[in-house]
């Protein structure tokens, strides 16, 4: 049993990390398999690479917890393709980690939702359009009906629900409809921009690539029509509009407040950077020492992307009222 000093240390560790500019958030690819083929995704999926076992994930994340990580965005691929994903999420929650499951929504079932509803976990469903043809064009699969069924099953889900929409040339006239749909279904809308050619992140797709002024108008319209509730996600929309206009953003959190971890345990500052080590072989502290801080700063200074997970912690620290408003929106 942990003594009071150990418990106090675990409580204080994430606050010390914030002061020391060390990670409190991790994006975790729980698997490398997907049943979609999104035009904007170039993650290494469906290629037969090693995926950590449940026991290895427990080992890795217990170490990350001791290092001060407290928030984990669990994604894939499509995470619900992993048969033991519910057990993994239960394990991570039992450690005291705050979880958000990011899914394309095609594999949601009543049984899965009931099970996940018993742990304090948020769910984010990706949906870029309500048009079946456009959905298939973006996602490379005819799955809109399954996604809408999954969203319907989440109607009574007791924890925060987010609906993420990525703006591209293919769907920019559909975004307001998706946001209105999200709010009508009890979801908090999260709207971001498609990126390409950002380090190792973001595949070029001619059907999805936009003129920046056209995409900026989409975000401006969401703000003018007050379709995004107050809080971080409205700030995120504001930042996307600024980024698309070529304006400089506030510093990125990559390698500072957040890291990315793939299904094999490899760690990088974010998905746009190459791996610097593996958590089955090295501690997070050792891997952090290997990060190319100069390259991260250049990327951040150039504001070459506006990934949500790469800026959320720093944005909230700089804008504390944003955090309060976000909590009010979610609740």
């Amino acid at each position: 049993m942990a003594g009071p000093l150990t418990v106090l240390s675990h409580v204080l560790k994430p606050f010390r990390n914030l002061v020391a500019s060390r990670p409190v958030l991790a994006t975790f690819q729980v698997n490398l398999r997907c049943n979609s083929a999104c035009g904007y995704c170039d993650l290494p999926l469906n290629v037969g690479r090693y995926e950590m076992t449940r026991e290895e994930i427990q080992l890795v994340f217990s170490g990350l917890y001791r290092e001060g990580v407290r928030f984990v965005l669990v994604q894939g691929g499509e995470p619900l393709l992993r048969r033991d994903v519910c057990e993994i999420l239960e394990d991570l929650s039992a450690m005291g980690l705050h979880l958000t499951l990011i899914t394309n929504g095609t594999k949601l079932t009543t049984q899965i939702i009931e099970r996940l509803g018993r742990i304090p976990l948020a769910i984010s469903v990706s949906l870029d359009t309500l048009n079946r043809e456009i959905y298939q064009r973006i996602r490379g699969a005819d799955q809109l009906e399954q996604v809408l069924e999954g969203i319907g099953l989440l109607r009574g889900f007791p924890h925060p629900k987010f609906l993420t929409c990525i703006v591209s040339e293919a769907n920019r006239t559909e975004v307001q409809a998706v946001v209105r749909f999200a709010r009508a279904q009890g979801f908090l809308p999260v709207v971001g921009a498609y990126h390409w050619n950002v380090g190792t992140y973001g595949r070029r797709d001619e059907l999805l690539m936009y003129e920046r002024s056209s995409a900026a108008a989409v975000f401006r319209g969401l703000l003018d029509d007050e379709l995004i509730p107050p809080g971080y996600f409205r700030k995120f929309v504001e930042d996307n509009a600024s980024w698309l206009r070529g304006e400089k953003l506030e510093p990125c959190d990559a390698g500072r407040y957040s890291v990315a971890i793939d299904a094999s345990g490899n760690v990088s500052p974010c998905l746009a950077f190459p791996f610097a080590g593996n958590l089955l072989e090295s501690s997070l502290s050792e891997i952090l020492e290997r990060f190319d801080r100069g390259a991260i700063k250049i990327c951040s200074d150039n504001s070459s992307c506006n990934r949500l997970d790469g800026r959320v912690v720093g944005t909230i620290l700089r804008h504390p009222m944003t955090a309060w408003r976000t909590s009010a929106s979610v609740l």
Side-chain angles (χ1 to χ4, degrees):
M1 181 179 295
L5 291 179
T6 301
V7 172
L8 181 61
S9 176
H10 286 168
V11 170
L12 294 178
K13 183 64 175 177
F15 297 101
R16 291 173 179 160
N17 280 16
L18 294 175
V19 172
S21 293
R22 289 174 59 87
V24 295
L25 181 148
T27 297
F28 175 44
Q29 289 177 269
V30 71
N31 67 346
L32 296 166
R33 290 163 280 145
C34 195
N35 58 343
S36 297
C38 301
Y40 46 65
C41 177
D42 64 352
L43 297 177
L45 305 175
N46 303 325
V47 292
R49 292 168 60 204
Y50 180 72
E51 295 177 0
M52 289 187 289
T53 66
R54 177 184 174 189
E55 291 72 25
E56 287 172 328
I57 291 171
Q58 287 177 310
L59 177 66
V60 162
F61 277 89
S62 61
L64 290 174
Y65 184 88
R66 291 191 297 272
E67 294 263 18
V69 171
R70 291 294 182 272
F71 302 92
V72 183
L73 309 180
V74 181
Q75 61 175 47
E78 169 47 47
L80 293 179
L81 290 177
R82 181 157 177 158
R83 293 183 178 180
D84 59 353
V85 70
C86 288
E87 289 86 352
I88 291 168
L89 293 168
E90 289 165 349
D91 292 341
L92 298 181
S93 178
M95 293 177 194
L97 293 165
H98 303 275
L99 307 175
T100 299
L101 175 67
I102 300 172
T103 173
N104 63 22
T106 61
K107 294 295 182 180
L108 289 168
T109 65
T110 300
Q111 293 76 17
I112 288 174
I113 291 169
E114 287 178 352
R115 186 166 179 179
L116 296 182
R118 293 195 286 269
I119 62 177
L121 169 142
I123 289 183
S124 177
V125 178
S126 301
L127 180 66
D128 302 320
T129 177
L130 298 171
N131 180 292
R132 181 177 177 181
E133 180 181 338
I134 295 174
Y135 185 97
Q136 186 168 1
R137 189 185 314 158
I138 294 172
R139 296 278 172 171
D142 184 9
Q143 299 169 321
L144 179 60
E145 183 176 344
Q146 296 99 296
V147 179
L148 295 179
E149 288 177 1
I151 287 172
L153 293 175
L154 285 166
R155 185 176 301 275
F157 189 69
H159 308 304
K161 301 179 295 185
F162 306 98
L163 193 148
T164 300
C165 177
I166 302 299
V167 177
S168 69
E169 182 61 26
N171 74 329
R172 60 185 177 83
T173 62
E174 303 284 319
V175 173
Q176 286 212 4
V178 173
V179 169
R180 294 180 191 277
F181 171 78
R183 298 193 65 173
Q185 298 295 316
F187 286 70
L188 188 62
V190 181
V191 185
Y194 162 47
H195 301 97
W196 61 90
N197 291 356
V198 181
T200 61
Y201 170 72
R203 187 171 71 184
R204 291 175 61 90
D205 187 314
E206 298 292 338
L207 294 176
L208 305 183
M209 294 166 66
Y210 48 72
E211 293 291 334
R212 294 174 75 98
S213 59
S214 298
V218 174
F219 290 93
R220 191 72 258 164
L222 294 174
L223 296 169
D224 290 345
D225 292 347
E226 298 186 349
L227 292 176
I228 309 296
Y232 175 76
F233 298 109
R234 181 181 292 176
K235 181 70 169 65
F236 183 56
V237 167
E238 292 170 352
D239 283 351
N240 272 279
S242 298
W243 174 75
L244 288 163
R245 291 194 300 266
E247 298 173 10
K248 185 174 175 59
L249 298 179
E250 294 171 323
C252 178
D253 296 342
R256 186 171 54 137
Y257 298 130
S258 64
V259 291
I261 304 167
D262 81 350
S264 306
N266 296 310
V267 182
S268 57
C270 78
L271 293 173
F273 279 84
F275 303 130
N278 187 289
L279 288 166
L280 295 174
E281 303 167 354
S282 306
S283 70
L284 179 61
S285 292
E286 291 169 328
I287 295 172
L288 293 176
E289 292 295 323
R290 303 172 195 158
F291 283 175
D292 186 340
R293 300 290 173 179
I296 296 171
K297 185 177 188 305
I298 290 171
C299 187
S300 177
D301 288 348
N302 290 334
S303 298
S304 52
C305 81
N306 186 32
R307 284 184 54 84
L308 184 147
D309 54 322
R311 296 186 185 271
V312 60
V313 177
T315 298
I316 288 174
L317 288 176
R318 287 184 291 267
H319 307 278
M321 285 299 294
T322 294
W324 181 84
R325 289 171 179 158
T326 302
S327 298
S329 298
V330 172
L331 296 174

